[in-house]
Amino acid sequence: MFVHFFHELKKANVPVSLREYLMLLEAMDSHVIERKVEDFYYLSRAALVKDERNLDKFDQVFGHVFKGLDLTNEGQTAEIPEEWLRKLTEKFLTDEEKAQIEALGGWEKIMETLKKRLEEQKERHEGGNKWIGTGGTSPFGAYGYNPEGVRIGQKEGRHGKAVKVWDKREYKNLDDSVELGTRNIKVALRRLRKFAREGAPTELDLDDTIKSTAHHGYLDIKMVPERRNKINLLVFFDIGGSMDSHIKLCEELFSAARTEFKNMEYFYFHNCLYEGVWKDNRRRHNEKMQTWDVLHKFPADYKVIFVGDATMSPYEITYAGGSVEHWNEEPGGLWLERVAQIYESCVWLNPVAEKHWEYTPSLQIIKQIIGERMYPLTLEGLDKAMRELSR
């Protein structure tokens, strides 16, 4: 059974290895969990899934392989509500078959038989038509009532009492292909980290303290500066126009970046980078900062991220005076080239789905200017962008 589970995970492109599979078997042999399906779910997920983005795929495979199966505790007394049986009749029985049930003694007789089988069942059963847990047809994993029940395969809940429902796929937003949330963005941004210890010694260095104490024969406390992320980040956000539909996603990216990077500076622009940028959209006409001043202020070791859909008229990139808001003395593409020349680590994050890029000429122009380093704002795209910036 576990071999089948392992192969199904591999087939779903969940990167599980033989070592992780043997670890799971070792844990099962050591009886680290009770014989409950929900305990096995958490154990197998902890042993086999090493990357959060694969949790959704794992849930789908687990629900497929173990659908409708449940374990009963030894000596467990079960009360089987009559409504479970009635729910099954709605799905499986014809009017003639319902009449036959009444002829056999009615619901009371049927319930008595099921209780007896529950007492007789000693292990999990897959397939067949007698024991509980028959590949999704058993009523004891769905359409039931239990204040701490386990529901598998039921379309929807009725009482809201089930506490272990992996079919809900609570991690579905962690898939590679979906757009990001703040928590997911933080996870992806952490790839772009470079820690260093600078400043006053404020943290205990336990290893050095033990070593020095053993060497001198008395307690010799050693302190070290706090480890901090030394990455310097410069972010340019496209704002307004076609970007209005991506405001929520950009807000989440901004919030996550501010949390993960202490040395982060940001500026706004509209459609394409020109000679002026700003930090407050309410005062952008009165408090603009010259782009040359920004490029002179922040050294070349900064990592640069552009965030925008790159959707505009190609003239806004290639011609002087092409801007829709003002007369630009120099083409927007020239300013992008300057940024790409000064900052070796530079990427563009695009909230538009990658499958639509080829239909936008302006997007192709910008992509070419920045050296093909444009990535979609998905978990996979952000991960690739952080890898590029880390080179």
Side-chain angles (χ1 to χ4, degrees):
M1 177 182 65
F2 294 155
V3 172
H4 174 62
F5 181 37
F6 177 77
H7 285 302
E8 287 296 316
L9 288 171
K10 297 281 284 186
K11 191 180 300 182
N13 295 321
V14 178
V16 291
S17 66
L18 182 59
R19 179 179 180 181
E20 293 158 353
Y21 175 68
L22 293 176
M23 182 191 307
L24 174 63
L25 295 185
E26 182 180 356
M28 295 295 293
D29 289 339
S30 301
H31 303 289
V32 299
I33 60 171
E34 296 183 20
R35 296 179 62 84
K36 295 181 180 178
V37 68
E38 64 267 29
D39 290 352
F40 174 71
Y41 164 74
Y42 286 115
L43 174 64
S44 58
R45 194 182 77 182
L48 300 175
V49 181
K50 301 302 181 184
D51 193 325
E52 284 184 313
R53 76 188 66 187
N54 295 312
L55 288 173
D56 179 45
K57 295 177 184 177
F58 176 86
D59 283 355
Q60 292 182 63
V61 173
F62 192 95
H64 167 68
V65 174
F66 299 103
K67 202 171 191 67
L69 303 184
D70 196 4
L71 292 181
T72 56
N73 293 332
E74 202 168 312
Q76 178 181 6
T77 301
E79 295 183 3
I80 306 174
E82 182 176 327
E83 61 180 278
W84 285 5
L85 300 178
R86 296 190 183 278
K87 188 67 180 181
L88 284 180
T89 65
E90 296 173 9
K91 183 176 181 181
F92 295 110
L93 302 184
T94 65
D95 291 338
E96 182 180 351
E97 290 171 331
K98 292 176 185 178
Q100 291 178 354
I101 289 178
E102 294 298 332
L104 291 173
W107 294 108
E108 290 75 12
K109 182 66 175 179
I110 296 295
M111 290 175 66
E112 180 181 345
T113 302
L114 278 177
K115 288 181 180 179
K116 182 178 180 181
R117 289 182 181 172
L118 178 62
E119 294 171 357
E120 294 174 351
Q121 182 169 332
K122 301 301 182 183
E123 59 185 8
R124 179 175 45 77
H125 185 73
E126 181 176 3
N129 55 13
K130 176 179 180 181
W131 298 119
I132 299 165
T134 56
T137 61
S138 170
F140 303 106
Y143 300 106
Y145 180 90
N146 190 303
E148 294 185 16
V150 179
R151 188 177 75 237
I152 310 172
Q154 183 172 316
K155 181 178 179 181
E156 58 185 6
R158 297 178 300 153
H159 305 290
K161 297 294 185 178
V163 295
K164 308 297 181 190
V165 191
W166 44 81
D167 277 354
K168 287 173 65 178
R169 291 169 54 195
E170 306 212 3
Y171 296 93
K172 58 185 177 182
N173 64 324
L174 292 175
D175 202 313
D176 284 355
S177 59
V178 300
E179 293 185 349
L180 304 174
T182 303
R183 177 181 177 274
N184 315 29
I185 295 174
K186 289 181 180 180
V187 173
L189 289 177
R190 285 170 190 164
R191 182 175 295 280
L192 185 62
R193 293 188 294 184
K194 182 179 181 181
F195 289 103
R197 295 188 181 274
E198 294 181 355
T202 58
E203 292 185 352
L204 174 66
D205 187 340
L206 183 59
D207 292 338
D208 198 16
T209 297
I210 294 174
K211 181 179 179 180
S212 183
T213 298
H215 179 73
H216 293 102
Y218 57 84
L219 181 61
D220 188 10
I221 297 178
K222 298 294 183 181
M223 306 292 288
V224 293
E226 180 184 359
R227 291 177 74 245
R228 297 181 179 178
N229 188 1
K230 295 302 296 179
I231 291 295
N232 299 315
L233 191 62
L234 182 59
V235 186
F236 294 96
F237 288 97
D238 183 7
I239 197 74
S242 58
M243 284 297 293
D244 287 347
S245 59
H246 307 296
I247 287 178
K248 183 177 182 296
L249 182 57
C250 290
E251 286 178 341
E252 292 172 345
L253 176 64
F254 179 73
S255 175
R258 286 293 295 268
T259 301
E260 293 298 319
F261 302 100
K262 303 303 180 184
N263 300 324
M264 188 191 94
E265 293 289 340
Y266 66 94
F267 297 94
Y268 296 106
F269 66 95
H270 178 60
N271 281 358
C272 190
L273 186 67
Y274 296 111
E275 68 277 2
V277 292
W278 58 93
K279 301 202 71 164
D280 188 342
N281 285 300
R282 294 168 298 182
R283 304 180 64 85
R284 66 189 183 94
H285 295 294
N286 302 321
E287 297 183 356
K288 278 191 176 181
M289 186 174 183
Q290 294 298 311
T291 305
W292 267 128
D293 293 341
V294 174
L295 303 185
H296 288 149
K297 180 178 180 180
F298 301 104
D301 64 345
Y302 268 71
K303 313 289 186 180
V304 176
I305 298 177
F306 285 95
V307 182
D309 59 7
T311 302
M312 67 198 85
S313 167
Y315 296 107
E316 297 183 60
I317 308 171
T318 58
Y319 282 84
S323 172
V324 296
E325 289 197 324
H326 72 292
W327 178 268
N328 52 299
E329 297 291 341
E330 296 178 306
L334 180 59
W335 286 103
L336 293 176
E337 290 176 0
R338 288 167 177 164
V339 173
Q341 291 170 1
I342 294 173
Y343 301 97
E344 182 179 351
S345 298
C346 175
V347 298
W348 188 293
L349 298 177
N350 197 323
V352 177
E354 191 171 5
K355 62 183 179 181
H356 301 305
W357 290 5
E358 61 180 299
Y359 306 110
T360 309
S362 61
L363 189 152
Q364 297 300 322
I365 296 173
I366 290 180
K367 186 179 177 183
Q368 183 178 3
I369 292 175
I370 64 171
E372 304 295 327
R373 291 174 292 182
M374 182 179 287
Y375 303 92
L377 253 181
T378 62
L379 185 59
E380 182 182 25
L382 188 53
D383 182 71
K384 290 180 179 179
M386 295 305 103
R387 289 178 182 272
E388 174 64 31
L389 292 177
S390 300
R391 292 174 56 183

